[in-house]
Structures are given as structure tokens and as C-alpha cells.
Amino acid sequence: MARIVMKFGGTSVANLERIRHVAGLVAEEAKGGNEVAVVVSAMSGETNRLVALVDALDADSDKGAAIEDEYDSIVASGEQVTSGLLAIALRRRGLKARSWLGWQIPLRTDMAHSKARIGEIESSAIGPSMAAGNIAVVAGFQGVNVEGRISTLGRGGSDTSAVALAVALKADRCDIYTDVDGIYTTDPRIAKDARRLNRIAFEEMLELASLGAKVLQTRSVELAMNYNLPIRVLTSMADVGDHNPGTLVCHEDETMEERVVSGVAYSRDEAQITLLRLKDAPGMVAKVCRAMSEANVIVDMIVQGISRSDNSANLTFTVGKRDLDKALSALKTAQGEIGFEGIKSDSDVTKVSVVGIGMRSHTGVAQTMFEALAERNINVEVIATSEIKISVLIDSEYTELAVRALHSAFDLHTTPAPKVSAP
Ligand code: ASP
Ligand code: MG
């Protein structure tokens, strides 16, 4: 007998037919006396619809008071509906089930409305209920703050609800069901020969999640890594009883294949800004970064090109595409104080990255990467690296070409050899 947390995303509960199917998958796990908690998202499209309602009213005036508390109460309602529907579907199959909202558990969060962090999850009510044979159907994405108000965990947050619940319940497994059958070496829509990975290390998944492979919310992977809780990503579209291996996201010691690079990710959500002829003196980059952080803009990649002849520098950096206008207006305001001659910007850029824990111990990754790009005549604008990742910024037009070139340069279409442990 095991304790299992299953999570179903929006497409998995998109309509009543899918919800009935999910009930079948849950019933299968509950067989044989397993204790099961199910975390659900809202029906696909529902959260967007609710957000749009809030935005439309909010746009009536820019003078009004903050509305984040009511935003949370409204957008959390999508999950209330699916948790209730799934509980009914389970009862109709003869199982015992009940829905749980965030405040009923309670799943406590901090006060940061619309992007709250989970503090603690009480298991004194849900635990005994599960032990008594009730399937717990938990509304994902939501919690309650110290003031008793509903909070939400940021878009995609029901992944984090599931991982946190699995930790709190000391679950044996946390299975995240979605509309793809696992984590791939790259986007299969771009590279037809992309392969499903059997296993991927937490660190690699973290890089891929934050680089735009939108399968898991980044925070859920951080949480799983901190508690060393393996998560399995698998499809909810398979038939009940099908062999459905998915991808196990786990500690690097548990990954079983020998490879240097595990995946190629890309993000089109980037914009590039260049400040021209900045004075080449200490503190200039700090001033630029201060202007950006005061405007609440996150700066990602940075490069500086210095011209010795006139003591000036061009500083290029990237921000999220959504933040470009905000960043440009903050920089124009601060131009006199920072001291530069002009600004250029470009939002037709893509960040392409190769990720792999093997980079820590193998050389030559950068060479392979830049040669593959050079052979296709793809110009690299900005470069950023970490211990397990190299990212380049390129013209968006070459996104597909670059992803395919790197996927084949690192032989990601072939199955790697199993790990050999050192003698
Ligand atoms: N329904 C929420 C969203 O669309 C949370 C989730 O699906 O994880 O962002
Ligand atoms: Mg999701």
C-alpha cells in the first residue's frame, strides 16, 4: 500500500469526458488500498478567461486601489469547479472522494497575492480522511494567507501545489499528468527526431523549466529538488492500464544514462537592449541594473564591449519581451544620470540553450555548440553560461535552424549508453 499524489493539468480536465477519463486513472491507482490525493488545475482556458475578466474591469481606471486580493479570489475559482467535478466523477464510479479547497486543508501561504509562496500544509484533516479511504481531490494553484484571504501561486502553480502536498503527506510518489508523454530532448514540433528522456536530473529540469520548456512550473522543480522528491511527468491521454513510463525527474545520482548534454531549449520571450557609448568606468553597469530593478524588470544575459580608443563601452542585455517598453522608458528617464549616448532595442530575438549536468566534467561543449551554429551561418549576439548550461541569443528567424543543428550536433536523437560507475 502506498500514498500517491496525482496531478492533472488543464487539458487533462478540459471537459467532462476528460474528467471521466481522469477518474478512471485515479480509480486504477486507488485499487488495492493505495491512499490517493489528486491535485487538479482549472479546465484549460478557464484561468485565462477569468484573468481577462479581471483585466477588463481593472482597465476602467488607473486610479483605483490595488485589486490583487480579489484577483486571487476570482482566478482560484476555476480549480474549485474541477475539484468538485472530479470528486463527483469518482463517486459515480463507486469510490469515496471529496474535494478540498486551499483554505479547507489549509494550505497556508505568504501575503504575496497572485504569486504567493507556500508556507505550510496542514495534514491533520486531509491525512486521516485519506487513511479512512477517501480520495482527496485538491484544488491546485490556491491557498490561504494569514488574513484568511484566498491566495494563488502564480500561473502554472498547481504543479507546485502537487509537489508541496506530496512532501507534506510524505507521499511515495508524485505523478504529474499532462498532455505530453514526458520531457523531450527538445521541442518535438521543431526536431522530429526529439526523444523522450527516461530520466532527467532536477538541476537540468530546472534549467529547462526556466528556459521556456513549459511542462513544469519552475518553483515545483525547486521544491522537489530541495526535498529530493522524484516527480514523474506522464500523459493523461493514455488508456487506463497502459504502460506509461513518462520521464522521472530525480536526483542526478539516479539518472541512468551517460551523456554530456541532455536537452536543447529555446525561449522567444526575449528582448535585447543596447546602450551606446556608456562611459567605461566603475559602477556604470551597477547604475543600469539599479534602474532596471527599480522598474521591476529582470535582467538576464549581459555583455559589454569596450572601445579602448575613447574609453566608452556598449552594454547589451536582455529582458523579458513583456518588459521591454517598461525597461526602455526607465532607461530614457535615467539617461542623464547614467550617462550614455543612445539606446537600441530588438525584440525579434530568441535565446537557445543547451543543458546538461555532464558539462561539469566534460570539455568541448562550447566548441561543438559554436561550430554547429557557425556552420549554419547563425550569428550569436549574446552568450551566457552556467555550470550546466550555455545560452546564446540569436535572431528569431533562425530559431528552428539553431535548435535542429544543436540537437543533432549533440546526438540527442540517439539513445545514450548506460552510465558506468567508476571502479
Ligand atoms: N490554472 C492555473 C493556470 O492556468 C494553475 C495551473 O494550471 O497550474 O495558471
Ligand atoms: Mg501546467
Side-chain angles (χ1 to χ4, degrees):
M1 202 188 81
R3 212 172 229 203
I4 301 163
V5 171
M6 305 169 80
K7 184 255 161 175
F8 293 91
T11 44
S12 307
V13 292
N15 53 46
L16 293 180
E17 193 197 332
R18 301 293 337 149
I19 290 176
R20 287 191 190 99
H21 178 68
V22 165
L25 295 169
V26 174
E28 183 72 9
E29 292 289 10
K31 256 199 220 157
N34 289 328
E35 289 178 21
V36 183
V38 191
V39 175
V40 287
S41 295
M43 291 172 163
S44 62
E46 180 62 7
T47 310
N48 287 344
R49 188 184 73 83
L50 295 166
V51 170
L53 290 176
V54 177
D55 285 349
L57 262 193
D58 191 29
D60 284 356
S61 157
D62 57 6
K63 290 195 280 291
I67 52 150
E68 284 95 349
D69 50 345
E70 300 304 344
Y71 166 96
D72 276 353
S73 149
I74 294 158
V75 301
S77 66
E79 275 73 8
Q80 174 161 350
V81 173
T82 43
S83 60
L85 289 173
L86 181 58
I88 294 177
L90 289 164
R91 287 184 193 170
R92 289 292 165 267
R93 298 183 72 98
L95 292 156
K96 291 201 287 175
R98 70 154 280 191
S99 62
W100 294 82
L101 300 181
W103 62 268
Q104 294 172 317
I105 295 176
L107 183 152
R108 297 187 207 284
T109 72
D110 65 11
M111 293 294 294
H113 277 295
S114 83
K115 45 181 175 306
R117 283 190 168 262
I118 299 175
E120 132 195 70
I121 300 180
E122 189 76 56
S123 57
S124 56
I126 195 171
S129 169
M130 286 168 65
N134 294 295
I135 296 171
V137 189
V138 175
F141 181 50
Q142 54 171 267
V144 60
N145 66 27
V146 279
E147 288 179 356
R149 302 295 318 262
I150 290 172
S151 52
T152 60
L153 307 177
R155 296 305 304 270
S158 50
D159 294 334
T160 303
S161 310
V163 172
L165 189 67
V167 170
L169 293 173
K170 300 193 174 55
D172 300 288
R173 263 166 46 210
C174 180
D175 291 343
I176 301 215
Y177 287 81
T178 176
D179 51 359
V180 292
D181 65 351
I183 309 294
Y184 275 69
T185 47
T186 194
D187 185 343
R189 288 168 304 184
I190 292 188
K192 294 278 168 287
D193 54 359
R195 248 178 355 102
R196 181 181 53 75
L197 295 160
N198 285 318
R199 295 184 177 214
I200 185 168
F202 289 125
E203 285 91 340
E204 293 172 326
M205 191 62 228
L206 213 47
E207 291 288 0
L208 294 175
S210 60
L211 289 171
K214 296 193 174 69
V215 185
L216 291 176
Q217 197 197 32
T218 309
R219 210 183 271 176
S220 70
V221 185
E222 276 167 8
L223 196 62
M225 181 162 93
N226 289 344
Y227 287 91
N228 197 14
L229 173 87
I231 29 188
R232 188 177 292 282
V233 176
L234 65 178
T235 178
S236 68
M237 306 297 154
D239 288 338
V240 176
D242 265 10
H243 177 62
N244 185 2
T247 298
L248 191 71
V249 188
C250 58
H251 191 275
E252 61 180 272
D253 292 348
E254 319 275 304
T255 58
M256 286 156 70
E257 294 170 338
E258 197 70 74
R259 60 180 169 230
V260 182
V261 166
S262 300
V264 178
Y266 66 94
S267 159
R268 297 184 200 267
D269 181 32
E270 313 287 322
Q272 156 175 259
I273 298 176
T274 300
L275 300 182
L276 301 165
R277 295 176 63 84
L278 201 69
K279 206 164 105 214
D280 180 21
M284 299 306 287
V285 180
K287 280 187 187 168
V288 173
C289 290
R290 185 176 327 125
M292 291 298 87
S293 82
E294 278 169 7
N296 241 321
V297 171
I298 294 175
V299 172
D300 180 18
M301 312 164 92
I302 307 184
V303 301
Q304 185 174 226
I306 295 168
S307 152
R308 283 276 162 250
S309 56
D310 63 356
N311 261 357
S312 78
N314 287 348
L315 184 75
T316 298
F317 56 93
T318 63
V319 301
K321 207 170 253 177
R322 276 184 316 275
D323 287 341
L324 179 62
D325 291 342
K326 210 164 49 162
L328 290 176
S329 81
L331 288 165
K332 280 179 190 141
T333 313
Q335 181 162 8
E337 202 227 311
I338 301 173
F340 54 87
E341 271 176 26
I343 309 185
K344 280 198 316 193
S345 69
D346 183 358
S347 54
D348 282 328
V349 286
T350 300
K351 179 166 72 171
V352 179
S353 313
V354 300
V355 173
I357 44 172
M359 281 188 216
R360 291 198 196 115
S361 48
H362 289 74
T363 56
V365 176
Q367 184 193 345
T368 306
M369 177 169 192
F370 292 113
E371 280 174 2
L373 295 171
E375 269 166 32
R376 271 81 175 179
N377 247 321
I378 300 171
N379 195 37
V380 172
E381 319 231 1
V382 188
I383 303 167
T385 63
S386 81
E387 215 189 0
I388 65 161
K389 168 195 87 175
I390 304 176
S391 303
V392 294
L393 196 72
I394 61 169
D395 190 323
S396 279
E397 199 185 323
Y398 301 112
T399 308
E400 284 83 1
L401 186 62
V403 168
R404 286 190 206 116
L406 295 172
H407 194 260
S408 77
F410 289 102
D411 281 333
L412 290 173
H413 55 288
T414 59
T415 313
K419 247 187 202 173
V420 257
S421 26

